[in-house]
């Protein structure tokens, strides 16, 4: 809403940190709340996020309602991000734990050899190697199980995002 007499439009600005794979979702969602993407910046080396600089007219009609809908959508987007992270984190945790246990048995085997207990060293080494094997399988199974568990929860959050975006879009139209 540009002031017709002065040509002045008051804007508000935000910078959003988003994962590159979620960039289109954030762009579409925030566009429904009146935001315009002004600039996209790749994340710093070693980071997994990118920055979206957005702006919108401060004199939005129904501003309070739109801000409340935006908060709902942002909360749902944050929940989606957390659920996505949680499913891979559980699988990695199991694999690392099994790897550590296997390594402990292998270390015990090495110590047994250096102590001259070759008969004890062989079973410990075998247990260590067998302890590493499950580390390859469970992450895939855990990831599939966690994905099956979180998929409906993620879908619910997407419904919240889309519902809030649709309402805001109607208010701005």
């Amino acid at each position: 809403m540009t002031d017709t007499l002065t040509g002045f439009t008051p804007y508000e600005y935000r910078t959003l940190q988003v994962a590159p794979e979620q960039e289109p979702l954030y762009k579409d969602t925030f566009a429904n709340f009146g935001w315009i993407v002004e600039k996209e910046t790749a994340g710093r080396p070693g980071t997994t996020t990118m920055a979206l600089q957005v702006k919108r007219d401060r004199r939005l009609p129904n501003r309070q309602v739109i801000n409340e809908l935006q908060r709902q959508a942002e909360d749902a987007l944050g929940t989606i991000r957390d659920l996505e992270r949680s499913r891979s984190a559980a699988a990695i945790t199991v694999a690392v734990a099994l790897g550590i246990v296997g390594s402990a048995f292998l270390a015990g085997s090495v110590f047994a050899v250096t102590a001259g207990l070759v008969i004890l060293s062989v079973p410990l080494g075998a247990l260590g190697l067998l302890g590493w094997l499950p580390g390859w399988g469970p992450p895939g199974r855990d990831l599939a199980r966690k994905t099956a568990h979180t998929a409906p929860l993620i879908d619910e959050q997407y419904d919240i995002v889309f519902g809030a975006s649709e309402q805001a879009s109607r208010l701005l139209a």
Side-chain angles (χ1 to χ4, degrees), residues 97-160:
L98 290 171
I100 289 171
V101 169
S103 296
F105 278 114
L106 284 174
S109 173
V110 170
F111 290 134
V113 166
T114 58
L117 302 170
V118 176
I119 293 178
L120 180 60
S121 168
V122 172
L124 286 176
L127 284 173
L129 292 174
L130 289 174
W132 279 354
L133 289 177
W136 294 101
R141 284 193 307 264
D142 287 344
L143 183 60
R145 183 176 45 82
K146 188 73 170 179
T147 298
H149 179 267
T150 59
L153 301 173
I154 291 172
D155 287 342
E156 285 176 24
Q157 297 305 311
Y158 275 116
D159 290 342
I160 292 170

Side-chain angles (χ1 to χ4, degrees), residues 63-103:
R63 182 179 172 85
Q64 287 181 323
V65 177
I66 290 172
N67 282 342
E68 182 57 35
L69 290 169
Q70 181 178 325
R71 271 190 287 282
Q72 289 176 10
E74 287 176 0
D75 289 345
L77 288 169
T79 302
I80 290 169
R81 182 187 63 241
D82 294 343
L83 287 169
E84 292 284 347
R85 280 188 196 152
S86 75
R87 54 181 194 192
S88 60
I92 290 169
T93 301
V94 169
V96 168
L98 290 171
I100 289 171
V101 169
S103 296

